[in-house]
Amino acid sequence: MEEYIETQGNKIRILDQDTINKIAAGEVIERPASVVKELIDNSIDAEANDIRIEVEKGGKNLIIIRDNGCGMNRADALIAYKKHATSKLTHIADLDTISTMGFRGEALASISAVAKMEIFTRPSKEIMGTKIVIHGGKVLETSDVGTAPGTSVRVKDLFYNTPARCKYLKSDRIELTYIIDTVTQLALANTNISFTLLSERKTVLRKMGSSDLFNCIVNVLGPDIARSLLPLEHKTEGFEIRGYISKPEASRAESDHIFLFINNRPVSSRAITTAIRLGYYTKIPKDVILLQYSSSFLILEKWM
Ligand code: ADP
Ligand code: MG
């Protein structure tokens, strides 16, 4: 309900809850790739070791994320999509020790506010699973369903009820590129988890879970790039860096192949990227200084 403060000629009013929810959702969910990231984060937090992603039309029409994680029982599933509903944080003090990807309880609420969402979920020790259908934040159906252990979330018609957001989306091809980048980063950050990404029913990326980082790079970035990399390892008291970095002579024109992870989270940091560039500085002729940092791969652990 809109709330008016009646005075003569007043201009300010409190927005109604539906509008508030849609605006808030837009801050968390900017484009299909944000949905993919949030749902994969949830699957990682649910300790899945196999995550399958399917998209249609760059994720605008359909995004499905299936995992074999812990699943949700009926009671949890019924509140999971509500704002600030989370199993990952109880007190503010927990923030100091939190190790999950999420904790704010915003993703499912935000996605379901701006799309048509279906959740199928079942913990492995329960016989029956739960299906929940939510369109634009409104629950249309909750029912028993036979489903594999784990969780699968289908997100249809993203931004169908916020046409202004829709207009800001790029072409299907470009939105798919953002999704591939997101899945690539998360697949490299989580070596032990199998990832499969399908677009229009064709496999775009497939990586088996492996404890070996090099195997993972071969799977995700291809054998040619993998072969051109040198291992890197450095430890100090405060942090540990490990990963792979390309040989200066193997460098190419693109500079967008620097993957940085801090405690398994993909990050972008201009300071670190600049440090990497400076590190190469004396190794290559000055006039190609900006042409070399393709396929550099670095994991930073225990940073800070
Ligand atoms: P957050 O991840 O910040 O807790 P979300 O809105 O992303 O918030 O999810 C809300 C809650 O729903 C999670 O805390 C978790 O308990 C449950 N949940 C969401 N996705 C999954 C999943 N794939 N498997 C198991 N539980 C899930
Ligand atoms: Mg989450």
Side-chain angles (χ1 to χ4, degrees), residues 42-43 46 67 70-72 80 85-88 102-108 151:
N42 280 348
S43 299
D67 70 48
C70 65
M72 286 176 267
T86 180
S87 56
K88 302 164 195 173
F103 55 80
R104 292 178 302 180
E106 276 180 339
L108 293 184
T151 301

Side-chain angles (χ1 to χ4, degrees), residues 213-214 217 229-232 242-246 295-298:
L213 183 56
F214 190 76
I217 299 173
L229 299 173
L230 296 168
L232 181 112
R242 64 186 182 86
Y244 287 85
I245 197 146
S246 52
S295 64
S296 304
F297 180 87
L298 196 71

